[in-house]
Amino acid sequence: MNRQSAPTKLELLAPAKNLECGIAAIDHGADAVYIGATRFGARAAAGNSVDDIRQLCQYAHPFGARVYVTVNTIVYDHELEATEQLIHQLYEAGADAILVQDMGILRMTLPPIALHASTQTDNRTAQKVRWLREQGFQRVVLARELSVDEIADIHHQQPDMPLEVFVHGALCVSYSGLCYASQHCFDRSANRGACAQFCRMKFDLLDADGRELEHQRHLLSLKDLNLHSHLEELVQAGATSFKIEGRLKDVSYVKNVVAAYSQQLDSIIARHPDRYCRASRGHVTYTFTPRLEKTFNRGFTTYFLHGRQSDIFSPDTPKALGEYVGKVKELRRDSFNVAGTASFANGDGLCFFTSDHELQGFRVNRAEGNRLFPQQMPAQLHPGTALYRNSDQEFERLLSRPSAERRIPITMRLEVTPDGFSLTSGTATVSLPCEHQQAQKPPHDNIVRQLSKLGGTPYECSGVELTSDFNYFIPSSLLADLRRRLVDCLRQNDSLPKVNPPEALGSTASSCVPRYEAPYLYNIANRLAADFYGVAAPSAYELKGGGHGPIMQCRHCLRYALGHCVKHGGSQPQWREPLRLRLGDGRQFRLEFDCKHCQMNVYGEG
């Protein structure tokens, strides 16, 4: 007879800008959080002390939730010792894994901590995933650009490698790890956590004759990812960790987005309880209804989940739009009213697009139903203008208060021992010597009342079991002592065991690793990485420059987005290529349309 396999554990992975955000993520249903340490994380502005990470681990582990730390920048030679020391400190603090980009780290003397291959290692093929597994990685964070079919194919070819996928938040227009635009233009390396957001800037689009095809538009700025309604497809494709982007986002973003995705995962598990379960323990009660459209977003896209589509970018603005709330109906000197069903509050932030495609925002000073009185009437507002709310005061007030409570249900069993009493829950048992004194009145209600006082702990009492003939008096102080000792025992038992990484099967780069045309694309920034790849010296763009190679490799394609990709049914363009992007300061960037790989490459000029 075949044994039924254990349910697959599904993990909701949330960002933590700091300790407060990390705790909020756990409280609102995250199974794991990822957080940056003091240095070497791909968001240099989101660093945290090792002590804060230790506190987050102590908070998360009783729930069975894990803490992953980003050590996913490339590292220079003079930083190698500090990086190795930091990893040891993180291990001692209780971190469950580190996210890695720089292969030089694999040459260090590491503690037995799990290694996750960051999306910065450019993970878009089964071949690359296999190679990373051979190097000892226990998880791979896939490229954001992959479709659900491509994810399924990778899982089919590498079924034993856990796959982590992004499901929500900001999108990088270039394949992660292969973007050098910020370094090229501003001497700020994205691979060092200092991206200057080149892709959010305005560009002119010029053809080979210098003719301006587009004027000052955000042609590389993508909408934000939202796969909330598609989680089950990703689960079926073989992904097991679902990652929310946002290590620079505030606590209200974390609360709202984590709650929305946690409830969605729970609904999937409720439909397939024999196939799936959550990767952590506890259930959450909320004081609000999550609404993704109310949290920072540039408009939403499913990106390449179901193949190429034209509406993935936001050429008019890189700023937050928020939710659509209606159209302007009628204007007065100091106010206007809105046609729609939305309700408004004093202090709401609204925005709209002007006739020049510029996003203009304003604050509502006073709201009387659907009549709004701005602090100052916007000059270009007119009847029929579509309005968006990017700051909802009432929703923010809800999130500013305690908005979720997470508890682990436990059943306790009180039993008589030869010299006293024992209290058991699961595998935890504590005993207390005590005289067996017959009760004068039924003791059941007081025992249940005293043992159920679990406030301030991660647990809640779902039941107290007593034998039918239990009739002993136990002082409330002794019951409280039993309860406290049991909680301490549960906390100790619930501390997550370390997940030791397997021995690397390949000690150096092998023939399996995808080959890049230019040496700088390997991001070799130190002697250990050079030794790993078997090359003479570091060759990172940040050290030597890129020569004639691309500074961006994008699946987003402007030829397609503007309706002129003949391969996908677009019209034949009238321009002459190559096309170029031009910044406001005059610097230009040549575009190459690599139709064989359905990719757009961006080259720096001058």
Side-chain angles (χ1 to χ4, degrees):
M1 183 173 66
N2 292 330
R3 289 185 178 180
Q4 187 174 6
S5 59
T8 299
K9 292 182 178 181
L10 304 180
E11 176 188 271
L12 178 60
L13 177 55
K17 176 182 180 180
N18 50 35
L19 177 60
E20 179 192 14
C21 288
I23 290 174
I26 299 299
D27 285 345
H28 288 71
D31 300 293
V33 297
Y34 63 105
I35 187 169
T38 48
R39 300 172 66 187
F40 312 122
R43 295 291 185 273
N48 295 274
S49 70
V50 172
D51 188 59
D52 277 357
I53 292 172
R54 179 181 291 105
Q55 291 183 57
L56 182 56
C57 292
Q58 291 169 349
Y59 190 84
H61 287 171
F63 294 103
R66 300 190 181 274
V67 176
Y68 310 138
V69 184
T70 57
V71 190
N72 60 338
T73 64
I74 57 173
V75 180
Y76 295 153
D77 273 328
H78 71 275
E79 298 169 326
L80 290 171
E81 183 178 352
T83 304
E84 186 172 318
Q85 289 176 352
L86 175 63
I87 294 170
H88 280 270
Q89 291 168 354
L90 294 171
Y91 175 76
E92 294 300 325
D96 298 289
I98 56 172
L99 283 85
V100 173
Q101 176 186 15
D102 195 315
M103 293 299 159
I105 289 176
L106 274 64
R107 289 295 206 203
M108 296 177 179
T109 302
L110 297 178
I113 191 168
L115 302 178
H116 294 180
S118 169
T119 190
Q120 297 293 120
T121 54
D122 184 28
N123 310 318
R124 45 179 144 155
T125 66
Q127 179 190 38
K128 184 64 173 288
V129 171
R130 174 191 168 193
W131 177 76
L132 289 165
R133 183 175 177 230
E134 289 176 346
Q135 308 315 311
F137 285 96
Q138 287 188 278
R139 178 186 293 187
V140 169
V141 188
L142 294 179
R144 295 170 173 88
E145 291 83 357
L146 298 184
S147 70
V148 69
D149 290 338
E150 289 169 322
I151 294 169
D153 181 62
I154 290 172
H155 173 66
H156 176 73
Q157 294 190 51
Q158 299 297 322
D160 296 329
M161 175 60 90
L163 302 178
E164 181 179 307
V165 296
F166 281 91
V167 293
H168 196 90
L171 289 165
C172 296
V173 72
S174 175
Y175 283 101
S176 292
L178 302 181
C179 183
Y180 310 95
S182 179
Q183 176 70 31
H184 176 84
C185 293
F186 310 108
D187 200 29
R188 290 175 55 180
S189 169
N191 284 319
R192 299 270 298 162
C195 177
Q197 295 200 309
F198 171 87
C199 59
R200 303 297 181 187
M201 296 178 176
K202 285 183 176 181
F203 298 94
D204 301 323
L205 181 64
L206 310 176
D207 70 5
D209 299 316
R211 184 164 56 103
E212 190 174 276
L213 307 174
E214 297 284 343
H215 178 70
Q216 289 296 283
R217 303 193 75 197
H218 302 275
L219 297 171
L220 298 180
S221 184
L222 300 180
K223 294 180 180 180
D224 286 359
L225 186 65
N226 182 347
L227 301 183
H228 179 264
S229 300
H230 303 276
L231 282 187
E232 191 160 355
E233 293 175 65
L234 292 169
V235 170
Q236 292 171 349
T240 53
S241 180
F242 308 94
K243 187 171 195 170
I244 299 165
E245 181 279 336
R247 281 201 298 119
L248 296 178
K249 298 294 198 301
D250 61 20
V251 70
S252 63
Y253 173 95
V254 171
K255 288 181 175 183
N256 186 34
V257 179
V258 169
Y261 278 84
S262 183
Q263 291 179 354
Q264 187 75 339
L265 271 186
D266 285 344
S267 69
I268 294 170
I269 291 167
R271 292 194 295 274
H272 309 284
D274 297 331
R275 296 173 60 187
Y276 309 116
C277 65
R278 292 297 290 266
S280 64
R281 297 183 290 270
H283 68 87
V284 183
T285 54
Y286 303 95
T287 64
F288 72 105
T289 301
R291 298 275 300 277
L292 291 173
E293 70 276 10
K294 289 184 176 293
T295 292
F296 183 99
N297 70 84
R298 301 175 177 90
F300 288 128
T301 176
T302 58
Y303 207 27
F304 289 95
L305 185 73
H306 297 127
R308 186 173 290 283
Q309 51 188 327
S310 59
D311 64 345
I312 66 174
F313 74 138
S314 179
D316 290 331
T317 182
K319 298 178 181 178
L321 279 178
E323 59 174 330
Y324 173 74
V325 291
K327 292 184 178 180
V328 175
K329 185 176 180 181
E330 173 257 344
L331 292 173
R332 295 182 185 173
R333 180 183 60 83
D334 61 349
S335 67
F336 63 93
N337 61 6
V338 181
T341 60
S343 58
F344 300 91
N346 299 347
D348 279 356
L350 301 182
C351 57
F352 65 96
F353 286 107
T354 68
S355 57
D356 297 325
H357 301 287
E358 294 289 340
L359 189 69
Q360 184 172 342
F362 62 94
R363 186 75 63 180
V364 175
N365 191 47
R366 187 171 83 255
E368 297 178 357
N370 68 342
R371 178 156 292 278
L372 308 181
F373 295 80
Q375 290 178 335
Q376 183 176 352
M377 282 291 287
Q380 296 197 46
L381 201 65
H382 57 80
T385 299
L387 289 172
Y388 301 85
R389 175 164 49 196
N390 53 16
S391 179
D392 186 322
Q393 291 300 296
E394 195 58 41
F395 195 68
E396 287 296 322
R397 274 193 287 270
L398 280 175
L399 293 180
S400 69
R401 298 191 282 263
S403 48
E405 187 176 77
R406 182 171 181 170
R407 292 287 180 263
I408 303 168
I410 60 171
T411 299
M412 291 179 274
R413 185 171 70 256
L414 183 64
E415 295 180 306
V416 181
T417 64
D419 62 347
F421 301 93
S422 68
L423 187 63
T424 300
S425 180
T427 59
T429 298
V430 295
S431 299
L432 184 70
C434 181
E435 179 185 355
H436 294 158
Q437 183 179 350
Q438 290 293 312
Q440 298 299 313
K441 59 181 181 179
H444 179 273
D445 290 350
N446 183 60
I447 289 172
V448 171
R449 183 166 54 251
Q450 295 300 325
L451 294 181
S452 299
K453 293 179 179 179
L454 293 170
T457 78
Y459 308 101
E460 66 179 9
C461 180
S462 59
V464 176
E465 298 175 352
L466 301 170
T467 59
S468 59
D469 60 349
F470 192 99
N471 190 42
Y472 296 98
F473 169 74
I474 307 175
S476 295
S477 60
L478 294 184
L479 288 170
D481 188 35
L482 265 176
R483 183 192 68 235
R484 283 192 294 268
R485 290 171 57 191
L486 181 68
V487 167
D488 289 343
C489 188
L490 284 169
R491 284 182 183 272
Q492 186 174 358
N493 289 356
D494 286 346
S495 295
L496 286 171
K498 289 291 183 182
V499 180
N500 294 330
E503 292 295 325
L505 301 179
S507 59
T508 61
S510 67
S511 59
C512 287
V513 66
R515 295 296 171 184
Y516 293 115
E517 293 182 5
Y520 72 91
L521 295 171
Y522 289 92
N523 295 321
I524 301 171
N526 58 71
R527 64 180 185 276
L528 294 184
D531 180 61
F532 174 87
Y533 281 105
V535 297
S539 57
Y541 191 100
E542 289 77 0
L543 298 175
K544 296 189 174 182
H548 301 292
I551 60 173
M552 276 185 166
Q553 298 184 38
C554 313
R555 204 166 197 178
H556 168 54
C557 173
L558 285 174
R559 185 192 279 174
Y560 178 88
L562 297 175
H564 297 300
C565 175
V566 178
K567 179 179 177 181
H568 286 89
S571 61
Q572 186 71 39
Q574 300 303 306
W575 62 59
R576 193 167 67 88
E577 295 182 5
L579 302 184
R580 285 176 170 80
L581 295 171
R582 181 174 64 192
L583 278 174
D585 62 9
R587 283 182 287 182
Q588 296 189 18
F589 307 88
R590 178 172 58 87
L591 301 182
E592 173 189 71
F593 299 103
D594 180 358
C595 295
K596 178 181 178 181
H597 300 102
C598 217
Q599 179 172 301
M600 180 180 75
N601 297 322
V602 182
Y603 291 80
E605 296 188 343

